[in-house]
Amino acid sequence: MTRVLTVGAAQLGPVARDETRESVVERLLALLHAGAAKGCVLVVFPELALTTFFPRWPADDVDGWFETEMPGPATKPLFDEAQSLGVGFSLGYAELTADGHHYNTQILVERDGRVVARYRKVHIPGHDQFEPERPFQHLERRYFEPGPDGFGVWRAFGAVVGMMICNDRRWPETYRVMGLQGAELILCGYNTPIHYAPDPSQDILQGFHNALVMQAGAYQNGTWVVAAAKGGVEEGVDSLAQSCIIAPSGQIVAQAYTTGDELIVADCDLAWCERYKGTLFDFERYRMIEHYGLITSQRGAVPPPEEQP
């Protein structure tokens, strides 16, 4: 028996610093229409999709980059059109809460326009102070708080759906916590500069590492992963594109081939998840949790003591 969801990853090309939200929403609407034309029931947009990637600049006041309501005046047309088309979506944006918290946030919107779920990024990368030796900054730790809610999953689109954002995808715990809740579909948006200032030797490996972690996470947890990038040269910074859709087998079944606005689509058979959840990764049968205590009791790596002469 098959359970097929047709899902699109809606990659964005660069968003200029002076581009308006209304202009970006027009681009999102074009991708949403492309998804509807291809039979998508769900379209996944990137991290911080509504603006340029503002953590690359130091500033004392960044609240203007944040959304205080969702939908707001600029984004309501996206919600309205999605409801009209009967296509749901996932959208990443900077969220400023009523009580003053700043989060890197992703929402899940059902086909009837309802916000089903909100996820706030847990693994915040980068640094929190201006570092003049860098060619550009990555000040996420200055502007965002870690999400307080962890990795939830929700029933939507006839599936068990989880969300993660950018750096979350590099951590195996992200997938496993959702896998332990039966995730069948994990949605991810990302902005990934190709140049990594702390260790430029990794630059050439960005695409490899991007695929590696998501393919492993999909396979080891028997879940589909749908990842949408904001790529290309944005305000002088070259960012990874390579949006992709990954099967529970770990195979990439669709991948973007440009660095601009592009929709990729796959028919995701959720029944495929059980091939892995019910065999190699039957957690109830094979997990040995009595040996995993360090994962939650210890934060950093602690090598064994050196032998004394």
Short mmCIF file of all heavy atoms in Angstrom, two decimals, residues 53 55-58 125-141 193-200 203 206 237:
data_model
loop_
_atom_site.label_atom_id
_atom_site.label_comp_id
_atom_site.label_asym_id
_atom_site.label_seq_id
_atom_site.Cartn_x
_atom_site.Cartn_y
_atom_site.Cartn_z
N PHE A 53 20.21 37.53 4.14
CA PHE A 53 20.74 36.88 5.34
C PHE A 53 21.45 37.94 6.19
O PHE A 53 22.66 38.14 6.10
CB PHE A 53 21.67 35.74 4.97
CG PHE A 53 22.11 34.90 6.14
CD1 PHE A 53 21.22 34.01 6.74
CD2 PHE A 53 23.39 35.00 6.66
CE1 PHE A 53 21.59 33.24 7.82
CE2 PHE A 53 23.78 34.23 7.75
CZ PHE A 53 22.88 33.35 8.34
N PRO A 55 22.39 38.27 9.32
CA PRO A 55 23.47 38.05 10.30
C PRO A 55 24.88 38.28 9.76
O PRO A 55 25.84 38.25 10.52
CB PRO A 55 23.27 36.59 10.73
CG PRO A 55 21.80 36.36 10.55
CD PRO A 55 21.47 37.11 9.28
N ARG A 56 25.02 38.56 8.47
CA ARG A 56 26.36 38.84 7.97
C ARG A 56 26.83 40.26 8.28
O ARG A 56 27.97 40.62 7.97
CB ARG A 56 26.44 38.57 6.46
CG ARG A 56 25.62 39.47 5.58
CD ARG A 56 25.92 39.22 4.09
NE ARG A 56 25.66 37.86 3.71
CZ ARG A 56 24.56 37.46 3.05
NH1 ARG A 56 23.64 38.33 2.70
NH2 ARG A 56 24.39 36.20 2.73
N TRP A 57 25.96 41.08 8.89
CA TRP A 57 26.35 42.45 9.23
C TRP A 57 26.17 42.71 10.73
O TRP A 57 25.18 42.27 11.32
CB TRP A 57 25.50 43.47 8.47
CG TRP A 57 25.65 43.39 6.99
CD1 TRP A 57 26.75 43.73 6.25
CD2 TRP A 57 24.68 42.94 6.05
NE1 TRP A 57 26.52 43.52 4.92
CE2 TRP A 57 25.25 43.04 4.76
CE3 TRP A 57 23.36 42.47 6.17
CZ2 TRP A 57 24.58 42.68 3.61
CZ3 TRP A 57 22.68 42.12 5.02
CH2 TRP A 57 23.28 42.22 3.76
N PRO A 58 27.10 43.44 11.34
CA PRO A 58 26.91 43.86 12.73
C PRO A 58 25.97 45.05 12.80
O PRO A 58 26.04 45.96 11.97
CB PRO A 58 28.32 44.24 13.19
CG PRO A 58 29.01 44.68 11.94
CD PRO A 58 28.42 43.86 10.82
N PRO A 125 24.50 28.59 15.05
CA PRO A 125 25.93 28.60 14.72
C PRO A 125 26.51 30.01 14.74
O PRO A 125 25.84 30.99 15.07
CB PRO A 125 25.93 28.03 13.30
CG PRO A 125 24.68 28.64 12.71
CD PRO A 125 23.66 28.66 13.85
N GLY A 126 27.78 30.11 14.34
CA GLY A 126 28.39 31.41 14.17
C GLY A 126 28.96 31.98 15.46
O GLY A 126 29.39 31.25 16.35
N HIS A 127 28.91 33.31 15.58
CA HIS A 127 29.55 34.00 16.70
C HIS A 127 28.67 35.17 17.11
O HIS A 127 27.69 35.49 16.42
CB HIS A 127 30.96 34.47 16.29
CG HIS A 127 31.01 35.24 15.01
ND1 HIS A 127 31.24 36.59 14.95
CD2 HIS A 127 30.84 34.85 13.73
CE1 HIS A 127 31.22 36.99 13.69
NE2 HIS A 127 30.97 35.95 12.93
N ASP A 128 29.01 35.81 18.24
CA ASP A 128 28.15 36.87 18.76
C ASP A 128 28.81 38.24 18.84
O ASP A 128 28.17 39.21 19.22
CB ASP A 128 27.58 36.49 20.14
CG ASP A 128 28.66 36.24 21.17
OD1 ASP A 128 29.85 36.46 20.87
OD2 ASP A 128 28.30 35.81 22.28
N GLN A 129 30.09 38.32 18.47
CA GLN A 129 30.80 39.59 18.45
C GLN A 129 31.44 39.81 17.09
O GLN A 129 31.83 38.86 16.41
CB GLN A 129 31.87 39.62 19.55
CG GLN A 129 31.33 39.49 20.96
CD GLN A 129 30.45 40.65 21.36
OE1 GLN A 129 30.69 41.80 20.99
NE2 GLN A 129 29.39 40.36 22.13
N PHE A 130 31.55 41.08 16.70
CA PHE A 130 32.18 41.43 15.43
C PHE A 130 33.62 40.91 15.39
O PHE A 130 34.39 41.12 16.33
CB PHE A 130 32.15 42.94 15.22
CG PHE A 130 32.83 43.39 13.96
CD1 PHE A 130 32.27 43.12 12.72
CD2 PHE A 130 34.03 44.07 14.01
CE1 PHE A 130 32.89 43.54 11.54
CE2 PHE A 130 34.66 44.49 12.84
CZ PHE A 130 34.08 44.22 11.61
N GLU A 131 33.98 40.22 14.29
CA GLU A 131 35.33 39.69 14.12
C GLU A 131 35.91 40.28 12.84
O GLU A 131 35.60 39.84 11.73
CB GLU A 131 35.28 38.15 14.07
CG GLU A 131 34.76 37.53 15.36
CD GLU A 131 34.74 36.01 15.35
OE1 GLU A 131 35.16 35.41 14.31
OE2 GLU A 131 34.31 35.41 16.36
N PRO A 132 36.74 41.30 12.98
CA PRO A 132 37.17 42.07 11.81
C PRO A 132 37.99 41.29 10.80
O PRO A 132 38.07 41.69 9.63
CB PRO A 132 38.02 43.21 12.43
CG PRO A 132 38.41 42.72 13.78
CD PRO A 132 37.29 41.84 14.24
N GLU A 133 38.58 40.18 11.21
CA GLU A 133 39.39 39.40 10.27
C GLU A 133 38.53 38.63 9.27
O GLU A 133 39.04 38.14 8.25
CB GLU A 133 40.30 38.43 11.04
CG GLU A 133 39.58 37.29 11.76
CD GLU A 133 39.01 37.66 13.13
OE1 GLU A 133 39.00 38.86 13.46
OE2 GLU A 133 38.58 36.74 13.85
N ARG A 134 37.25 38.51 9.53
CA ARG A 134 36.37 37.77 8.61
C ARG A 134 36.01 38.64 7.40
O ARG A 134 35.75 39.83 7.54
CB ARG A 134 35.07 37.36 9.31
CG ARG A 134 35.21 36.26 10.35
CD ARG A 134 33.87 36.01 11.00
NE ARG A 134 33.91 34.94 11.99
CZ ARG A 134 33.36 33.73 11.82
NH1 ARG A 134 32.74 33.45 10.69
NH2 ARG A 134 33.43 32.82 12.76
N PRO A 135 35.87 38.03 6.21
CA PRO A 135 35.41 38.80 5.05
C PRO A 135 33.94 39.19 5.16
O PRO A 135 33.49 40.12 4.51
CB PRO A 135 35.66 37.86 3.87
CG PRO A 135 35.68 36.49 4.47
CD PRO A 135 36.25 36.66 5.84
N PHE A 136 33.18 38.44 5.92
CA PHE A 136 31.80 38.77 6.25
C PHE A 136 31.51 38.10 7.58
O PHE A 136 32.19 37.17 8.00
CB PHE A 136 30.82 38.30 5.17
CG PHE A 136 30.89 36.83 4.87
CD1 PHE A 136 30.13 35.91 5.58
CD2 PHE A 136 31.73 36.35 3.88
CE1 PHE A 136 30.20 34.55 5.33
CE2 PHE A 136 31.82 34.99 3.60
CZ PHE A 136 31.05 34.09 4.33
N GLN A 137 30.48 38.58 8.25
CA GLN A 137 30.16 38.07 9.58
C GLN A 137 29.13 36.94 9.51
O GLN A 137 28.46 36.75 8.49
CB GLN A 137 29.62 39.21 10.46
CG GLN A 137 30.57 40.39 10.58
CD GLN A 137 31.88 40.00 11.25
OE1 GLN A 137 31.90 39.53 12.39
NE2 GLN A 137 32.99 40.19 10.54
N HIS A 138 29.03 36.19 10.60
CA HIS A 138 27.97 35.19 10.75
C HIS A 138 27.45 35.30 12.19
O HIS A 138 27.76 34.46 13.04
CB HIS A 138 28.49 33.78 10.45
CG HIS A 138 27.40 32.82 10.15
ND1 HIS A 138 27.20 32.26 8.92
CD2 HIS A 138 26.39 32.34 10.93
CE1 HIS A 138 26.14 31.46 8.96
NE2 HIS A 138 25.64 31.49 10.17
N LEU A 139 26.69 36.34 12.43
CA LEU A 139 26.33 36.76 13.78
C LEU A 139 24.99 36.19 14.26
O LEU A 139 24.26 36.85 15.00
CB LEU A 139 26.29 38.30 13.85
CG LEU A 139 27.67 38.96 13.73
CD1 LEU A 139 27.54 40.43 13.38
CD2 LEU A 139 28.45 38.79 15.03
N GLU A 140 24.72 34.96 13.89
CA GLU A 140 23.45 34.36 14.35
C GLU A 140 23.38 34.31 15.88
O GLU A 140 22.31 34.49 16.46
CB GLU A 140 23.28 32.96 13.78
CG GLU A 140 22.84 32.94 12.33
CD GLU A 140 22.36 31.56 11.91
OE1 GLU A 140 21.36 31.07 12.49
OE2 GLU A 140 22.99 30.97 11.02
N ARG A 141 24.48 34.04 16.53
CA ARG A 141 24.46 33.93 17.99
C ARG A 141 24.29 35.29 18.67
O ARG A 141 23.99 35.35 19.87
CB ARG A 141 25.73 33.24 18.48
CG ARG A 141 25.84 31.79 18.01
CD ARG A 141 27.08 31.10 18.54
NE ARG A 141 26.96 30.78 19.94
CZ ARG A 141 26.41 29.68 20.44
NH1 ARG A 141 25.89 28.78 19.61
NH2 ARG A 141 26.37 29.45 21.72
N PRO A 193 26.76 29.78 3.72
CA PRO A 193 27.88 30.37 2.97
C PRO A 193 28.89 29.30 2.60
O PRO A 193 29.20 28.42 3.40
CB PRO A 193 28.47 31.38 3.96
CG PRO A 193 27.41 31.63 4.98
CD PRO A 193 26.63 30.36 5.07
N ILE A 194 29.41 29.39 1.39
CA ILE A 194 30.39 28.39 0.96
C ILE A 194 31.72 28.60 1.67
O ILE A 194 32.41 27.63 2.00
CB ILE A 194 30.53 28.42 -0.57
CG1 ILE A 194 29.24 27.84 -1.20
CG2 ILE A 194 31.76 27.64 -1.03
CD1 ILE A 194 29.19 27.91 -2.70
N HIS A 195 32.07 29.85 1.94
CA HIS A 195 33.31 30.10 2.68
C HIS A 195 33.06 29.97 4.17
O HIS A 195 32.18 30.61 4.73
CB HIS A 195 33.85 31.50 2.38
CG HIS A 195 35.06 31.85 3.19
ND1 HIS A 195 36.23 31.12 3.12
CD2 HIS A 195 35.28 32.84 4.10
CE1 HIS A 195 37.12 31.66 3.94
NE2 HIS A 195 36.57 32.69 4.55
N TYR A 196 33.86 29.11 4.82
CA TYR A 196 33.76 28.90 6.26
C TYR A 196 35.03 29.45 6.90
O TYR A 196 36.09 28.81 6.87
CB TYR A 196 33.58 27.41 6.56
CG TYR A 196 33.40 27.09 8.02
CD1 TYR A 196 32.38 27.69 8.76
CD2 TYR A 196 34.25 26.20 8.66
CE1 TYR A 196 32.22 27.41 10.11
CE2 TYR A 196 34.09 25.90 10.01
CZ TYR A 196 33.07 26.52 10.73
OH TYR A 196 32.91 26.24 12.07
N ALA A 197 34.93 30.64 7.47
CA ALA A 197 36.11 31.37 7.94
C ALA A 197 36.94 30.61 8.98
O ALA A 197 38.18 30.67 8.92
CB ALA A 197 35.68 32.73 8.48
N PRO A 198 36.34 29.90 9.94
CA PRO A 198 37.19 29.20 10.93
C PRO A 198 38.07 28.10 10.34
O PRO A 198 39.10 27.75 10.93
CB PRO A 198 36.17 28.60 11.91
CG PRO A 198 34.96 29.48 11.78
CD PRO A 198 34.92 29.85 10.33
N ASP A 199 37.69 27.54 9.18
CA ASP A 199 38.49 26.47 8.56
C ASP A 199 38.17 26.44 7.06
O ASP A 199 37.34 25.64 6.61
CB ASP A 199 38.19 25.12 9.20
CG ASP A 199 38.98 23.98 8.55
OD1 ASP A 199 39.95 24.27 7.82
OD2 ASP A 199 38.62 22.82 8.77
N PRO A 200 38.85 27.28 6.26
CA PRO A 200 38.53 27.35 4.83
C PRO A 200 38.76 26.04 4.07
O PRO A 200 38.26 25.90 2.95
CB PRO A 200 39.48 28.45 4.33
CG PRO A 200 39.76 29.30 5.53
CD PRO A 200 39.80 28.32 6.68
N ASP A 203 35.63 24.59 2.69
CA ASP A 203 34.83 25.28 1.68
C ASP A 203 34.44 24.36 0.53
O ASP A 203 33.29 24.31 0.10
CB ASP A 203 35.58 26.49 1.13
CG ASP A 203 35.79 27.60 2.15
OD1 ASP A 203 35.37 27.42 3.32
OD2 ASP A 203 36.37 28.63 1.78
N GLN A 206 31.48 21.83 1.11
CA GLN A 206 30.17 22.25 1.60
C GLN A 206 29.03 21.42 1.01
O GLN A 206 28.11 20.99 1.72
CB GLN A 206 29.94 23.74 1.32
CG GLN A 206 30.78 24.68 2.16
CD GLN A 206 30.33 24.77 3.61
OE1 GLN A 206 29.47 24.03 4.07
NE2 GLN A 206 30.94 25.68 4.34
N VAL A 237 28.30 37.46 -1.02
CA VAL A 237 28.61 36.21 -0.33
C VAL A 237 28.02 35.04 -1.12
O VAL A 237 26.81 34.99 -1.36
CB VAL A 237 28.07 36.21 1.11
CG1 VAL A 237 28.35 34.87 1.78
CG2 VAL A 237 28.69 37.35 1.91
#
